[in-house]
Amino acid sequence: MIYLDNNATTKPFPEVVETMTRFMTSRFWNASSAYGQVDGLEGTVESAKAAIRKLSGVGSEDEVIFTSGATESNVWAVTEGARKAAGGGWVLSSQIEHPSVRETLEHFREQGLCVRWASVTREGALDLDELKGLVDPDLRFVSLMLAHNETGIIQPVSEATALIRERSPECLIHTDATQVLGKMPISFSDDLDEVDLISLSGHKFHGPKGIGGLIVRNGVLIEPLIRGGGQQNDLRSGTMNTPAIAGIGAAANKCWELLRERQPEAVRAVRDHFEERISSVFPGALILGRLAPRLPNTSFFGIPGTDADDLVLALAAKGIAVSKGSACSAQSIEPSRTAAQMGYSYEEASSLIRFSASCETTFEEVNLLADELQGLCRHAGIAKRSE
Ligand code: PMP
């Protein structure tokens, strides 16, 4: 299988698998036990937190709480936001958030919470002008993703938080950074310092599935998500998943090294090469957010007159894995919601395919994808019309 769907999930690095195997065999202890402590398991947990802090550029005082993944982290953040907004406040999010944010907010809205949804521009970025008109002192919670999982478009979260802090200084600010960590250098200590809560997920950066985190910035107080034995500072009880924690730590360390070796530039070159080929073979091809700041690995493109469902299936039959968009909505027959929010028609949105590279993706692989697409479309009589 030529795997080109790395925004859905990534292959764990070999060092992640080795590390996890060790913590599932010779060091399977409960991290809270006396012998686990003697064996240094607390140190393993702390090292994994340090690796995540380094990868996200937060400070050593900022707390990393391990969760089962970004869905759980997002639900936790939004639940806290709904609590803060109870009794006269309101919350703000965008039209393009991940379903774990959108559906949770929708659930609270049905129970009476006031939620407003900011729209995005044709370029797929949060509409800051609209946001300016919306924010007022009663705004208590904001959830805005940092980069979009389908388009890869980087959202102006820093500009948004500056605006929000000015008008509502006490507002709790959350960002879903799931698609950013490991793909490009980032520092929450610089212009994203006003963000209070950050969601992340291990399997998006070559770590294991079922482990993620919520970074709670220094001084930010939130209610526990799971009460029980008091693990993780009483905030999220339950025996710590040490194999996965050690695994996510190993992945974060490896990603940090790759980022320092300028791996994003190499990935960007492969992605840009693919887009050049697609637009030369199909001059009418859509490439969403091509000129916008984007994740270096992502291309959300469409060949007019085609149906993404058919092409994605035909490519899978040829051993190439790409997707129609978000894996979370791959079962849905509706085309990308985000493309619709950006103003694309139903037909245009129905043609969109997401290609997402990793540090292992080669020029040969993307050439093969472009060749296969050309072949499939020629077969269907589409390339002839575009050529
Ligand atoms: N947020 C974004 C932006 C994502 O892309 C995903 C994964 N599709 C999630 C949250 C959910 O992550 P997880 O699979 O770790 O629950």
Side-chain angles (χ1 to χ4, degrees), residues 113 283 288:
L113 179 72
L288 269 59

Side-chain angles (χ1 to χ4, degrees), residues 371-387:
D371 291 345
E372 292 293 357
L373 280 168
Q374 193 173 4
L376 288 166
C377 291
R378 181 167 287 135
H379 188 68
I382 288 160
K384 236 181 274 151
R385 264 187 274 141
S386 315
E387 272 165 358

Side-chain angles (χ1 to χ4, degrees), residues 7-8 68-72 74 98 100 145 147-149 176 178-179 200-204 210-212 326-328 354:
N7 285 8
S68 65
T71 297
E72 182 180 319
N74 284 348
H98 188 265
S100 52
M145 64 175 13
H148 194 267
N149 41 307
D176 176 358
T178 302
Q179 291 291 347
L200 60 106
S201 174
H203 73 102
K204 304 287 184 180
I211 183 94
S326 161
C328 312
R354 181 183 67 186

Side-chain angles (χ1 to χ4, degrees), residues 95-96 120 148 150-151 300 335-344:
Q95 297 278 13
I96 59 164
V120 292
H148 194 267
E150 288 177 336
T151 62
F300 200 31
S336 165
R337 232 183 140 260
T338 300
Q341 292 296 333
M342 290 167 69
Y344 288 92

Side-chain angles (χ1 to χ4, degrees), residues 3 34 45 53 80 150 169 223 234 245 312 338 344 360 376:
Y3 186 71
V45 173
R53 288 192 188 101
E80 183 63 22
E150 288 177 336
E223 284 284 302
D234 275 335
I245 290 172
V312 167
T338 300
Y344 288 92
E360 291 181 358
L376 288 166

Side-chain angles (χ1 to χ4, degrees), residues 107-356:
H107 163 78
F108 285 117
R109 196 188 61 75
E110 280 163 15
Q111 296 184 355
L113 179 72
C114 175
V115 183
R116 292 194 180 112
W117 305 97
S119 37
V120 292
T121 62
R122 175 80 180 176
E123 283 69 47
L126 187 68
D127 187 338
L128 288 171
D129 288 334
E130 184 196 59
L131 196 83
K132 234 179 252 169
L134 284 174
V135 179
D136 68 24
D138 292 330
L139 175 62
R140 301 286 153 74
F141 174 69
V142 173
S143 181
L144 298 171
M145 64 175 13
L146 196 52
H148 194 267
N149 41 307
E150 288 177 336
T151 62
I153 294 171
I154 295 163
Q155 299 299 316
V157 172
S158 162
E159 291 85 338
T161 53
L163 228 153
I164 291 158
R165 277 280 177 260
E166 202 184 291
R167 300 190 191 171
S168 181
E170 298 306 313
C171 181
L172 183 71
I173 300 178
H174 166 245
T175 194
D176 176 358
T178 302
Q179 291 291 347
V180 173
L181 292 198
K183 293 196 178 103
M184 53 182 267
I186 182 93
S187 175
F188 278 93
S189 300
D190 297 337
D191 55 349
L192 288 163
D193 204 30
E194 294 296 332
V195 174
D196 298 311
L197 301 171
I198 305 160
S199 297
L200 60 106
S201 174
H203 73 102
K204 304 287 184 180
F205 57 90
H206 304 274
K209 293 175 182 53
I211 183 94
L214 184 70
I215 301 179
V216 182
R217 307 302 289 280
N218 188 24
V220 174
L221 296 176
I222 63 170
E223 284 284 302
L225 174 69
I226 302 176
R227 292 177 172 81
Q231 292 91 342
Q232 302 207 68
N233 295 341
D234 275 335
L235 286 171
R236 204 253 186 202
S237 284
T239 302
M240 273 186 281
N241 185 350
T242 40
I245 290 172
I248 197 175
N253 276 325
K254 178 75 183 171
C255 281
W256 167 252
E257 280 169 30
L258 289 170
L259 290 177
R260 280 161 54 110
E261 290 162 15
R262 308 181 68 76
Q263 166 249 337
E265 282 81 353
V267 175
R268 187 190 306 277
V270 171
R271 191 273 312 270
D272 289 353
H273 171 76
F274 170 71
E275 291 188 341
E276 275 154 29
R277 278 221 47 199
I278 285 296
S279 42
S280 76
V281 177
F282 307 102
L286 299 172
I287 297 178
L288 269 59
R290 194 172 189 180
L291 300 176
R294 256 189 316 163
L295 293 174
N297 77 321
T298 309
S299 182
F300 200 31
F301 68 97
I303 301 163
T306 62
D307 184 83
D309 280 318
D310 297 343
L311 284 179
V312 167
L313 264 180
L315 288 167
K318 289 174 179 290
I320 301 178
V322 289
S323 67
K324 212 179 91 175
S326 161
C328 312
S329 50
Q331 304 308 319
S332 101
I333 45 163
E334 287 300 308
S336 165
R337 232 183 140 260
T338 300
Q341 292 296 333
M342 290 167 69
Y344 288 92
S345 69
Y346 187 88
E347 281 69 29
E348 287 170 324
S350 305
S351 74
L352 293 170
I353 296 177
R354 181 183 67 186
F355 149 80
S356 47

